[in-house]
Amino acid sequence: MEKALALDEKDIGKLKVRDLNKYSCFYLGSEFCQNIFPSERSVERLAGMGARKIAICVSFLVDAKLKEIKEKISFMLEKNPNVEIILGDFGLLTYLNKFYPNSKKSIARPLSIEFMRMEKSKLEKFLVKHRISAIETDEDDLLGNFPKPRKFSLNFHYPYRFKALQRDCFYLGKTTLNCSRKCLGKKTPLQIPGTRHIIYALNNAYFTKKNSFPMGADRIIYHRI
Amino acid sequence: MIIQAGARNWSDFFYYLENGASEIYCALNGIPGHCYRGKDFETPSEILKAAKSAHEKGVRLYMVANEVQAGLFDITVSTVREMVKNGIDGVIIRDLSILEALKRKKIKTEFILSSLALCFNKETLKFYSDMGISRIAIPEQLLPSEARNIVKNNLGISTEIFLSAREYCVVLNGFCYLSDFTGKCICRDPFKSGHRNRFLPRPDSKEHFSRLYDFYSMGVNTLKIGRHPHGHYARLLFQEAKAILKLLESGIDKKNFIEKSLEIDSKIGLILNKGVKRK
């Protein structure tokens, strides 16, 4: 099972040699917020430090952001064709399949929620047809629906399990196309009314925290925040 | 702009039919349709009977099947096929595998992409258009300025918008698991954070009506009222939608529209609150 680390751009400089040895893949960007997309410089820096694989996460996008991110991703893929794209947008999928058909693509959360509920053979047909090689998930209870051998990889995110997603930013209180990304590195615990359960506000989304992870995934992505 | 209303049962259905809905949609028990409380129509023949009654009045009738799971795939596809063959006008759908299966079986009907789908740009709209959709319910959280290319698409896809002042999910509706904790919807409740209470951010009613005005001006075709477990609430929503639509059609300017809509919304709110107090 492969090990990956999800990190914010600003933390790239804090990576140690032992991190680069321990984790074979590094995730940048966000599956949940279109404003958190890494710079080309960050990708170059990570590659220069010796990261074996780099995965760029992209959430669902409005038109203006899709236009912007297509340009940035094209630039990244031209320089680093092996960068994986973890995508949450079918418009971006169409673009990549047209212009970068050999790019390695995975379906991001929460888009993957629909895929995790598909019947295995239908899912495999869809993924092969659309040149998608992996699915990102945090739903350990559903991994058993896709026993090996399978025609795709299942990448499991740990320890945060997705519960809800907003477009209005928890920190800004509104929807915006650009921001200063003050949320990076922050998580805010919120107690569920009338219970002792805690969810965490991270980017635009809300998560619970798990203490264990399942067998059956091809890659585990650790989120250090 | 026309009104499409969601009916849970015969009582809802006849109310909307007799009071001016141009379209009605409903769900069938056993085919998941993303409305968790209350009951829907029990049998396919009930929906087909509803379709016949609707057509006699020039009203269109749709079925919703927008939350399918692997175990219900085959029954959903076969049910949709039978319903289309026997007279419903279309299906509200979200799942890609269902869309693909229906396309493969050459089932020709109006496929409406549910607002639960993550369709936030024109290229994703094209993706779904290639899979056979002919209409989209615009996601509630998409701003008018962001939706322009979707509304004014050149794919022949018509658009719907919810009356979000009354029906707005604070979080993305199709991806919410917050009710897992208490069995109830909690997104509008205060969460404790340290010593403070914090609310998940959401637009106010003024903002909702501002958005509705912009969507109307842009040319969105349909104003949508969702299905609701409480018939009384659903009827009031429908009346509110009719009043708001009348305002829009009067050619009123935006500032006055927002003001008058807030008045209507407030009156409806008072009636709803009286109903709650009586209980």
Side-chain angles (χ1 to χ4, degrees):
Chain A
M1 190 163 57
E2 205 185 353
K3 286 181 186 169
L5 181 69
L7 69 163
D8 293 328
E9 273 183 278
K10 61 179 184 53
D11 293 331
I12 291 175
K14 295 178 188 170
L15 285 174
K16 308 268 186 260
V17 172
R18 62 170 183 266
D19 296 319
L20 292 158
N21 289 333
K22 182 177 178 183
Y23 301 105
S24 57
C25 182
F26 292 86
Y27 278 51
L28 294 174
S30 171
E31 297 165 275
F32 305 100
C33 180
Q34 62 181 3
N35 291 348
I36 299 173
F37 188 79
S39 66
E40 167 56 27
R41 200 163 68 168
S42 293
V43 175
E44 289 287 301
R45 192 178 176 198
L46 201 45
M49 286 168 81
R52 282 169 271 166
K53 291 184 199 172
I54 299 170
I56 309 291
C57 298
V58 191
S59 95
F60 57 91
L61 305 163
V62 299
D63 276 304
K65 274 295 178 184
L66 177 58
K67 184 170 183 260
E68 179 191 320
I69 281 172
K70 270 192 225 173
E71 288 170 11
K72 290 182 176 178
I73 274 188
S74 297
F75 190 66
M76 283 178 189
L77 285 171
E78 296 292 337
K79 289 191 106 181
N80 307 280
N82 294 323
V83 158
E84 295 177 26
I85 309 297
I86 314 296
L87 53 88
D89 190 277
F90 288 132
L92 184 61
L93 173 66
T94 307
Y95 174 77
L96 290 173
N97 280 340
K98 186 173 177 186
F99 293 102
Y100 301 94
N102 297 325
S103 57
K104 199 160 180 225
K105 297 175 284 296
S106 177
I107 295 291
R109 300 171 293 166
L111 192 57
S112 61
I113 287 172
E114 182 185 333
F115 290 79
M116 292 297 289
R117 284 151 180 76
M118 281 188 192
E119 192 267 317
K120 187 182 172 201
S121 63
K122 292 179 177 63
L123 174 59
E124 285 178 332
K125 274 191 195 142
F126 184 91
L127 295 178
V128 166
K129 179 180 170 187
H130 293 280
R131 296 171 172 264
I132 298 163
S133 55
I135 294 176
E136 311 292 311
T137 186
D138 49 31
E139 297 185 278
D140 49 332
D141 46 322
L142 298 182
L143 288 183
N145 292 347
F146 307 105
K148 291 180 183 180
R150 53 183 178 236
K151 292 179 185 172
F152 57 95
S153 299
L154 275 171
N155 299 338
F156 187 83
H157 289 254
Y158 173 86
Y160 296 103
R161 178 159 178 159
F162 171 82
K163 282 298 185 188
L165 169 64
Q166 286 196 273
R167 291 206 65 225
D168 287 325
C169 173
F170 180 76
Y171 296 98
L172 295 177
K174 60 182 181 179
T175 299
T176 175
L177 268 187
N178 292 293
C179 67
S180 59
R181 310 202 288 180
K182 283 187 181 165
C183 62
L184 290 184
K186 265 193 210 169
K187 70 174 189 275
T188 302
L190 300 167
Q191 188 173 342
I192 301 287
T195 76
R196 288 188 173 182
H197 294 293
I198 302 287
I199 57 172
Y200 297 91
L202 278 171
N203 309 154
N204 271 354
Y206 303 89
F207 302 83
T208 49
K209 214 169 173 186
K210 296 180 70 69
N211 291 324
S212 62
F213 54 80
M215 302 304 289
D218 297 285
R219 178 189 282 175
I220 301 281
I221 302 99
Y222 295 87
H223 292 254
R224 268 191 188 161
I225 182 175
Chain B
M1 195 179 237
I2 59 170
I3 295 179
Q4 182 195 90
R8 295 304 299 273
N9 48 51
W10 284 113
S11 178
D12 288 349
F13 172 78
F14 282 117
Y15 180 83
Y16 297 137
L17 194 66
E18 301 302 326
N19 283 281
S22 299
E23 296 178 347
I24 297 172
Y25 75 94
C26 53
L28 180 61
N29 275 341
I31 303 289
H34 200 76
C35 194
Y36 303 115
R37 294 170 289 151
K39 280 186 170 183
D40 291 296
F41 284 90
E42 293 283 347
T43 62
S45 61
E46 281 196 315
I47 294 186
L48 292 174
K49 200 171 155 187
K52 190 165 179 269
S53 299
H55 293 159
E56 282 164 8
K57 295 248 178 187
V59 171
R60 293 169 72 79
L61 192 290
Y62 298 92
M63 186 179 130
V64 62
N66 61 356
E67 204 166 50
V68 180
Q69 308 223 1
L72 295 169
F73 181 88
D74 291 334
I75 182 88
T76 299
V77 171
S78 61
T79 302
V80 167
R81 187 171 54 189
E82 280 313 296
M83 301 299 271
V84 168
K85 190 171 141 193
N86 288 293
I88 65 169
D89 296 292
V91 190
I92 300 167
I93 258 177
R94 166 200 180 174
D95 299 80
L96 293 162
S97 53
I98 297 282
L99 270 170
E100 285 211 319
L102 294 172
K103 191 178 173 184
R104 248 193 332 270
K105 291 182 191 302
K106 296 186 173 40
I107 294 170
K108 289 199 183 333
T109 190
E110 197 171 354
F111 291 115
I112 301 174
L113 183 65
S114 169
S115 61
L116 306 183
L118 284 175
C119 184
F120 282 77
N121 58 66
K122 68 177 182 202
E123 295 190 36
T124 301
L125 185 67
K126 174 81 171 56
F127 177 89
Y128 280 108
S129 171
D130 291 343
M131 301 196 88
I133 66 140
S134 52
R135 198 195 291 197
I136 175 174
I138 294 171
E140 295 157 51
Q141 294 84 5
L142 194 60
L143 305 178
S145 55
E146 297 170 332
R148 188 167 290 276
N149 288 334
I150 289 177
V151 177
K152 292 183 179 301
N153 70 85
N154 58 0
L155 301 166
I157 293 177
S158 55
T159 50
E160 301 175 350
I161 192 82
F162 274 97
L163 180 62
S164 66
R166 282 280 166 211
E167 295 186 288
Y168 182 78
C169 281
V170 174
V171 298
L172 261 65
N173 193 353
F175 298 95
C176 178
Y177 298 92
L178 292 179
S179 60
D180 286 353
F181 299 100
T182 60
K184 291 183 211 166
C185 180
I186 58 171
C187 61
R188 290 167 194 267
D189 292 346
F191 291 75
K192 253 201 166 67
S193 181
H195 298 293
R196 293 168 59 189
N197 276 340
R198 289 192 74 164
F199 290 87
L200 302 188
R202 64 181 191 255
D204 60 18
S205 296
K206 189 177 169 187
E207 175 61 25
H208 281 301
F209 286 117
S210 169
R211 292 180 189 181
L212 178 57
Y213 188 91
D214 291 343
F215 277 122
Y216 177 83
S217 304
M218 230 184 270
V220 170
N221 308 98
T222 304
L223 183 59
K224 201 173 172 97
I225 308 297
R227 291 168 300 138
H228 200 277
H230 302 303
H232 173 65
Y233 182 89
R235 283 154 184 62
L236 282 170
L237 224 68
F238 183 72
Q239 289 305 325
E240 182 167 349
K242 280 177 67 177
I244 301 290
L245 186 55
K246 198 172 168 187
L247 265 183
L248 286 167
E249 288 169 343
S250 71
I252 194 173
D253 64 85
K254 188 172 179 178
K255 183 169 174 277
N256 282 310
F257 168 74
I258 293 172
E259 205 177 287
K260 290 198 187 308
S261 298
L262 286 171
E263 282 172 19
I264 294 169
D265 190 64
S266 176
K267 280 181 188 154
I268 299 284
L270 284 171
I271 299 170
L272 282 169
N273 283 340
K274 271 189 195 158
V276 167
K277 276 182 193 156
R278 252 189 250 124
K279 281 179 195 169

